[in-house]
């Protein structure tokens, strides 16, 4: 069973990233369950999408604390918030983008400093990348989600691997024709970034 | 075998209705049920509509069923409160073509004002209820529900919940059935529910319930799975998936697909075949109470909460005594991230204007604008259910009048009711009629953003388009209010702060009912042109903090590592700004300008961007 948690802020495209991953896993012949967030939280609140896939039947669409093989975080504070879901030996891949929540904007709370260092200190395996810049390089800030999907595609190795063609098929199914080229580029940039993960294939 | 598709539970419900040959669908949106209807609308063969509210939706569906078609309607749990009136008597009339009523509960209140358990409605109205636990079952159960509805001459409720409606799973597609067309048959004894006829139907309902009970004993919708018999689990819906995940083959299961009526013999037999027996169900002890009435000492709410959602970890801990794994944690309390009004939201203008009236009471309502209850706007005193704002404002005025502390007029001069366009049509209009009829003087603000926003952009009677995107006759809100007897109706742009402030002041002072229509389309609508992001000129900025107080998620302090607002330089986030320019309007220093100028993106947790 592979469990991926995608954490972010409503509007960042965590849902879409989950669907691409789900479709890719189906292409690879797996059973898949995805739990999505619709409604109130989509208005700029914290959102978590869970994707679970396996050769066997998948039951619950949710995971418990300590259940995620991978966490993809689209925003740093949300990366920090989600850390409890990471499995021992799992990987947290975080975009360094920062979006201040309303309590920070109104001045009743402050945005934690040095999140990446603090996450690393918990003993978790953490990698941070500037997915937003890579997204802008591929044509639009909205595609940071696809950059992270690209990173994940490169990172899933061994038993967990999904063939690259399966990812590309999933993207072609999910993205409207006129945005496809940009999305494929974002995916590639993420996929290439994977080299920075070093020892990740040992998971 | 056709290939399997990854479908949302709600999408699978729609697919099931399509395959069952459904011909008519009517609904009012409500999270987590909305996508059922949005997906039904994609099938050309099914007439699909958004109704003004759930009561109408159920009545349309019942009419279609009596007319001979297979019909479906969908709503969220609280929607069934609105539709409860036709529901209870549809139980007596029964159906012509199959009638399926989907109702989606929201354990954990992800997007709702309460956490009610719709299963109680099935029992109270004596209507068959099925409950699927994943997308594949959603499709399969809807089809069964149509068939059973016709077989037993009953409406069929399909109970869903957030985690079933909004989870995706694999679903196999099949062909659409072509149920033999049924003619409408005039039958007043069955369809005219006045006392004499209803008494006869009341008896038919009891007979039907007996027959359904017998059906529940034998149907394969209630499944027993034997593994280890030292633990027995009676469960249904999403709770079954959690418990199966948690316990696997360490327990045996009775999974109930039929929630009402519940079987007796089947449950007893299962209870007796296991050593200890748990009932695992979120919310009310519905199945548990049934078991207790049968004299079975099951374990249920004494060990599991009636509040919110269950998790596999919690089930493992309680049933197996397995503590959850130690996991890494943040080393400090983290700022919460509550939902917010979007950048560019027109509602912001209204609440910012209301904030200029000290001591004002705002009777609120349900929609995106409910978010104005949160900081920094904090301009809402009450929010109960759709359409309630107007009646509650009127009640406040009358309370003051009768208590004599404050005259009713003085109270009304400090009170507004605020509600959205969709909410006004849903059930606000009746409140307005009450104000006029009973000589109230309330001021009502309708936030007309040309869409049903909170539930994800559905057309409504005031937008001029149908669910299929076809242009249609549009309700004229101004004329509607006038026809109800309101002489003072004004339409204002919510971003025109001065005019809006002046209008609110005048209407509060007027000794008669008045309506202000704050009209500007939702910033997320495709037709709304987006200007480039705005930017703040650091040299001109007085650091007064005004722009930070409008509650726009795109404007924050350039260095948010400190909590100080006063003296902080604000910055606009390129990825968030919708280019609405409202901040530029409230900036007294003229330091905020539109478009072109390069704005900032923010990364990392430290440096000012
Ligand atoms: C009886 C009932 N039906 C449906 C809902 C779900 N719901 C919450 S807000 C809303 C729509 C609000 O639309 P509108 O009044 O136009 O305000 P907007 O969100 O666009 O600002 C709906 C349908 C509900 N809470 N109660």
């Amino acid at each position: 069973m592979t469990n991926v948690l995608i954490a972010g802020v409503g509007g960042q495209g965590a849902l879409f990233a989950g669907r691409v991953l789900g479709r890719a896993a189906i292409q690879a012949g797996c059973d898949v369950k995805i739990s999505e967030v619709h409604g109130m939280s989509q208005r700029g609140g914290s959102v978590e999408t869970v994707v679970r896939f396996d050769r066997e039947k998948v039951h619950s669409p949710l995971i418990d604390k300590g259940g995620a093989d991978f966490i993809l975080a689209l925003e740093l504070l949300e990366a920090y918030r989600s850390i409890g879901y990471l499995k021992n030996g799992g990987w947290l891949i975080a975009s360094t983008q920062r979006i201040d929540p309303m309590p920070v904007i109104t001045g009743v709370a402050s945005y934690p400093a040095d999140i990446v260092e603090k996450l690393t200190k918990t003993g978790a395996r953490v990698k941070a990348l500037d997915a937003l810049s890579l997204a802008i390089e591929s044509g639009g800030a909205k595609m940071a989600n696809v950059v992270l999907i690209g990173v994940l595609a490169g990172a899933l190795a061994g038993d967990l691997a999904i063939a690259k063609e399966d990812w590309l098929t999933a993207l072609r199914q999910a993205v409207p024709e006129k945005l496809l080229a940009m999305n494929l580029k974002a995916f590639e940039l993420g996929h290439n970034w994977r080299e920075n993960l070093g020892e990740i294939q040992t998971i | 075998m056709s290939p399997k598709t990854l479908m949302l539970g709600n999408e699978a419900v729609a697919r099931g209705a399509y395959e069952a040959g459904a011909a008519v669908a009517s609904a009012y949106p409500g999270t987590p049920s909305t996508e059922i209807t949005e997906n039904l609308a994609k099938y050309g063969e099914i007439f699909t509509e958004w109704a003004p509210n759930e009561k109408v939706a159920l009545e349309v569906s019942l009419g279609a069923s009596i007319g001979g078609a297979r019909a479906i309607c969908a709503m969220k749990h609280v929607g069934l409160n609105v539709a409860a009136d036709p529901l209870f008597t549809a139980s007596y009339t029964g159906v012509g073509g199959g009638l399926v009523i989907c109702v989606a509960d929201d354990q954990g209140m992800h997007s709702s004002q309460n956490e009610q358990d719709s299963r109680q409605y099935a029992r109270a109205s004596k209507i068959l209820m099925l409950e699927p636990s994943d997308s594949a079952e959603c499709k399969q159960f809807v089809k069964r529900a149509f068939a059973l509805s016709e077989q037993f001459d009953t409406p069929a409720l399909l109970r869903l919940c957030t985690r079933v409606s909004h989870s995706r799973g694999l679903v196999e597609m099949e062909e659409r059935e072509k149920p033999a067309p049924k003619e409408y048959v005039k039958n007043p004894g069955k369809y005219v529910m006045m006392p004499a006829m209803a008494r006869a139907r009341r008896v038919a309902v009891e007979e039907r319930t007996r027959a359904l009970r017998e059906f529940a004993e034998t149907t394969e919708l209630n499944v027993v799975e034997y593994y280890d018999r030292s633990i027995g689990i009676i469960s249904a819906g999403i709770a079954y998936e959690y418990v199966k995940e948690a316990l696997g083959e360490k327990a045996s299961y009775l999974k109930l697909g039929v929630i009402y009526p519940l079987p007796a013999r089947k449950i007893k037999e299962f209870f007796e075949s296991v050593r200890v027996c748990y009932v695992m169900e979120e919310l009310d002890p519905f199945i548990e109470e049934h078991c207790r009435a049968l004299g079975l000492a099951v374990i249920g709410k004494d060990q599991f909460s009636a509040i919110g959602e269950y998790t596999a970890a919690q089930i493992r801990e309680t049933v197996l005594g397995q503590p959850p794994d130690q996991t890494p944690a943040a080393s400090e309390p983290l700022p919460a991230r509550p939902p917010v009004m979007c950048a560019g939201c027109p509602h912001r203008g209204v609440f910012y204007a209301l904030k200029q009236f000290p001591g004002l009471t705002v009777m609120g309502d349900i929609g995106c604008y409910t978010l104005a209850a949160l900081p920094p706007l904090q301009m809402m005193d009450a929010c109960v259910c759709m359409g309630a704002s107007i009646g509650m404002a009127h009640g406040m005025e009358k309370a003051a009048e009768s208590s004599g502390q404050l005259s009713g007029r003085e109270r009304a001069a400090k009170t507004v009711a605020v509600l959205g366009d969709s909410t006004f049509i849903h059930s606000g209009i009746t409140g307005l009629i009450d104000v006029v009829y009973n000589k109230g003087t309330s001021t009502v603000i309708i936030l007309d953003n040309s869409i049903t926003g909170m539930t994800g952009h559905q057309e409504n009677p005031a937008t001029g388009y149908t669910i299929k995107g076809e242009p249609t006759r549009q309700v004229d809100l101004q004329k509607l209010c006038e026809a109800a007897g309101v002489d003072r109706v004004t339409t204002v742009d919510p971003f025109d702060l001065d005019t809006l402030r002046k209008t609110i002041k005048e209407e509060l002072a007027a000794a008669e009912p008045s309506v202000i229509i704050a009209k500007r389309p939702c910033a997320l609508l495709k037709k709304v042109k987006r200007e480039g992001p705005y930017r703040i000129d650091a040299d001109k900025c007085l650091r007064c903090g005004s722009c930070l107080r409008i509650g726009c998620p795109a404007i924050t302090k350039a260095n948010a590592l400190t909590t100080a607002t006063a003296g902080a330089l604000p910055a606009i986030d390129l990825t968030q700004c919708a280019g609405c320019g409202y901040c530029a309007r409230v900036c007294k220093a003229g330091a905020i300008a539109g478009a072109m100028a390069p704005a900032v993106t923010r990364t990392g947790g430290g440096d000012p961007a």
Side-chain angles (χ1 to χ4, degrees):
Chain A
M1 176 87 71
T2 308
N3 297 322
V4 179
L5 178 92
I6 305 168
V9 177
Q12 280 195 299
L15 272 189
F16 178 80
R19 279 177 213 170
V20 173
L21 168 55
R23 283 174 196 250
I26 294 176
Q27 293 295 321
C30 295
D31 188 28
V32 177
K33 278 206 175 149
I34 306 179
S35 110
E36 302 190 346
V37 178
H38 297 228
M40 196 90 161
S41 310
Q42 281 181 300
R43 300 274 172 268
S46 303
V47 294
E48 283 165 357
T49 294
V50 175
V51 183
R52 314 187 69 204
F53 53 98
D54 198 8
R55 309 262 163 219
E56 310 278 306
K57 182 170 165 58
V58 179
H59 283 284
S60 174
L62 298 176
I63 56 169
D64 289 310
K65 292 268 156 76
D69 298 284
F70 286 92
I71 294 177
L72 303 181
L74 289 156
E75 199 273 347
L76 266 188
L77 174 58
E78 297 314 311
Y80 203 10
R81 204 188 303 285
S82 69
I83 185 69
Y85 280 94
L86 197 64
K87 193 181 269 181
N88 224 328
W91 276 95
L92 171 84
I93 301 166
S95 167
T96 52
Q97 186 177 355
R98 160 175 157 189
I99 299 174
D100 290 348
M102 201 47 73
V104 170
I105 294 175
T106 57
V108 295
S110 52
Y111 197 98
D114 309 322
I115 292 177
V116 177
E117 292 77 54
K118 287 173 187 163
L119 280 169
T120 310
K121 263 197 212 136
T122 65
R125 303 207 279 180
V126 177
K127 288 281 178 183
L129 78 158
D130 184 356
L132 188 58
S133 296
L134 294 178
I136 291 169
E137 188 183 330
S138 16
K142 287 268 175 243
M143 287 180 298
N145 55 354
V146 178
V147 171
L148 285 191
I149 283 293
V151 178
L152 179 74
L156 289 169
D159 275 359
L160 306 178
I162 296 176
K164 190 151 176 205
E165 299 87 70
D166 291 337
W167 287 102
L168 297 179
T169 309
L171 271 172
R172 279 191 207 100
Q173 287 172 353
V175 180
E177 187 60 40
K178 64 175 197 252
L179 302 176
L180 188 61
M182 285 201 285
N183 277 273
L184 290 174
K185 178 153 187 219
F187 178 84
E188 279 304 326
L189 289 178
H191 201 264
N192 296 342
W193 189 88
R194 181 220 158 276
E195 283 154 23
N196 299 306
L197 292 176
E199 75 276 44
I200 198 160
Q201 55 271 56
T202 61
I203 188 176
Chain B
M1 198 167 73
S2 65
K4 291 186 170 180
T5 315
L6 196 54
M7 280 191 189
L8 218 50
N10 283 345
E11 216 175 324
V13 170
R15 178 71 202 183
Y18 167 77
E19 289 178 6
V24 174
S26 182
Y28 183 73
T31 314
S33 70
T34 312
E35 301 80 6
I36 295 173
T37 317
E38 289 176 331
N39 281 286
L40 283 165
K42 292 178 185 162
Y43 297 106
E45 295 91 333
I46 306 177
F47 169 82
T48 310
E49 63 168 36
W50 287 128
N53 65 32
E54 293 85 352
K55 178 178 183 300
V56 175
L58 178 48
E59 290 154 354
V60 170
S61 309
L62 177 61
S65 156
I66 292 174
R70 285 193 161 181
I72 183 165
C73 72
M75 58 198 71
K76 69 182 292 169
H77 59 335
V78 288
L80 196 52
N81 301 336
V82 178
D85 203 5
L87 180 80
F88 278 70
T89 305
S91 174
Y92 285 32
T93 63
V95 302
L99 172 60
V100 175
I101 303 160
C102 307
V103 55
D105 287 0
D106 188 18
Q107 290 91 307
M109 293 176 274
H110 297 276
S111 292
S112 305
Q113 69 267 35
N114 77 17
E115 195 180 46
Q116 66 190 44
D117 189 329
S118 295
R119 295 177 300 174
Q120 306 287 8
Y121 271 112
R123 179 161 59 192
S125 65
K126 306 178 201 304
I127 289 179
L128 169 71
M129 178 181 261
L130 307 185
E131 182 174 18
S133 66
D134 65 8
S135 296
E137 282 190 358
C138 281
K139 200 198 81 166
Q140 184 199 340
F141 281 28
V142 171
K143 293 172 84 170
R144 284 304 297 273
F146 274 111
L148 292 168
S149 166
E150 287 169 5
Q151 184 187 340
F152 290 93
D153 192 11
T154 177
L157 285 157
L158 186 80
R159 186 207 191 204
L160 302 158
C161 69
T162 299
R163 301 299 185 182
V164 170
S165 284
H166 287 166
S167 292
R168 282 175 194 269
L170 290 177
V171 177
E172 200 178 313
M173 312 249 232
E174 294 160 285
E175 294 294 311
R176 177 168 162 95
E177 292 167 28
K178 296 211 173 54
K182 281 192 182 176
E183 291 278 311
Y184 164 63
V185 189
K186 186 171 166 115
N187 187 351
K190 188 167 184 296
Y191 296 127
V192 182
M193 288 300 93
M194 54 200 286
M197 279 90 136
R199 279 185 208 115
R201 293 300 301 169
R202 175 75 188 84
V203 177
V205 169
E206 283 312 295
E207 279 165 9
R208 178 182 75 203
T209 305
R210 262 194 295 281
L212 280 168
R213 247 185 214 118
E214 212 37 56
F215 165 77
E217 298 290 356
T218 52
T219 174
E220 82 295 346
L221 292 168
N222 296 329
V223 202
V224 177
E225 297 169 64
Y226 281 121
Y227 304 103
D228 189 327
R229 297 198 187 201
S230 53
I231 301 170
I233 305 284
I234 303 174
S235 191
I238 192 65
Y240 165 79
E241 300 292 344
Y242 298 153
V243 70
K244 196 75 198 283
E245 178 83 29
L247 306 178
E249 299 190 353
K250 294 189 182 109
S252 294
Y253 303 87
L254 169 56
K255 177 187 179 295
L256 297 168
V258 182
I259 294 301
Y260 186 83
L262 289 166
R265 295 195 302 278
K266 187 158 214 154
I267 288 179
K268 254 190 185 145
E269 194 182 304
F270 178 77
F271 178 87
E272 279 154 14
S273 69
V274 294
R275 194 163 332 134
V276 287
C277 188
Y278 290 82
V279 175
M280 216 68 90
E281 56 188 331
E282 291 170 331
L283 303 185
D284 295 349
F286 185 84
I287 301 171
E288 181 182 343
E289 279 169 5
H290 174 78
C291 293
R292 293 200 187 285
L294 295 172
L296 310 178
V298 292
I299 305 169
K301 295 295 168 187
D302 45 346
Q303 299 210 12
F304 287 89
S305 176
I307 303 172
E309 302 186 278
Y310 290 177
T311 65
Q314 174 195 5
I315 294 169
R316 246 179 251 120
E317 186 171 13
T318 310
V319 176
L320 302 177
Q322 261 178 28
D325 297 339
Q326 283 294 321
T327 55
S331 54
E332 62 201 291
L334 300 184
R337 190 183 297 276
V340 288
M341 277 184 194
C342 304
C345 179
H347 300 336
R348 178 169 291 112
V350 170
F351 290 96
Y352 190 72
L354 290 174
K355 216 172 162 61
Q356 330 269 316
F357 292 84
L360 188 73
T361 301
V362 180
M363 296 316 245
D365 221 302
I366 305 203
C368 291
Y369 45 91
T370 315
L371 294 167
L374 303 176
L377 291 167
Q378 286 179 295
M379 279 310 289
M380 196 165 290
D381 289 77
C383 164
V384 176
C385 68
M386 289 192 71
S389 55
I390 303 180
M392 291 196 298
H394 181 61
M396 280 216 128
E397 178 177 352
K398 296 299 171 186
E401 218 163 81
S402 62
S403 74
Q405 288 175 338
L406 203 69
S407 78
R409 178 79 281 280
E410 280 167 331
R411 177 73 254 176
K414 291 173 184 244
T415 308
V416 289
V418 180
L419 75 176
D421 49 344
S422 186
T423 302
F424 180 69
I425 302 260
H426 177 280
S427 47
I429 177 67
T430 40
L432 186 65
I433 290 171
D434 185 56
V435 171
V436 175
Y437 174 51
N438 290 302
K439 306 183 182 200
T441 66
S442 297
T443 299
V444 174
I445 303 181
I446 302 175
L447 304 166
D448 182 6
N449 60 353
S450 310
I451 203 74
T452 312
M454 182 85 270
T455 40
H457 281 188
Q458 291 77 35
E459 302 294 345
N460 69 51
T463 67
Y465 291 91
T466 69
I467 189 171
K468 302 218 181 193
E470 295 154 2
T472 183
R473 188 71 187 249
Q474 183 175 10
V475 170
D476 183 328
L477 292 176
Q478 169 115 14
K479 281 195 190 148
L480 178 60
C481 297
E482 286 165 3
V486 180
D487 292 331
R488 301 179 67 95
V489 185
T490 323
T491 299
V492 189
D493 175 0
F495 279 1
D496 181 350
L497 183 56
D498 292 337
T499 310
L500 183 58
R501 210 165 18 198
K502 189 169 143 279
T503 311
I504 295 170
K505 193 169 172 204
E506 284 167 11
E507 299 313 322
L508 285 172
E512 59 182 293
S514 45
V515 173
I516 301 170
I517 301 172
K519 191 170 175 64
R520 183 178 263 262
C522 169
L524 302 181
L525 286 176
K526 284 207 186 78
K527 65 176 183 195
V528 173
K529 271 218 257 73
R530 284 170 159 249
E531 266 188 73
Y534 276 58
R535 64 177 266 288
I536 295 171
D537 184 335
D539 295 334
K540 287 192 194 159
C541 175
L542 302 173
R543 289 148 173 76
C544 68
S546 292
C547 60
L548 290 167
R549 285 191 287 273
I550 62 176
C552 177
I555 310 178
T556 187
K557 284 162 290 178
N559 185 352
L561 294 180
T562 72
T563 52
T565 303
L569 175 68
I572 296 177
D573 185 331
L574 150 79
T575 65
Q576 306 251 1
C577 178
C580 74
Y582 189 65
C583 54
R585 295 181 189 226
V586 302
C587 177
K588 295 175 198 83
I592 306 183
M596 263 85 81
V600 292
T601 65
R602 297 161 60 75
T603 61
D607 50 334

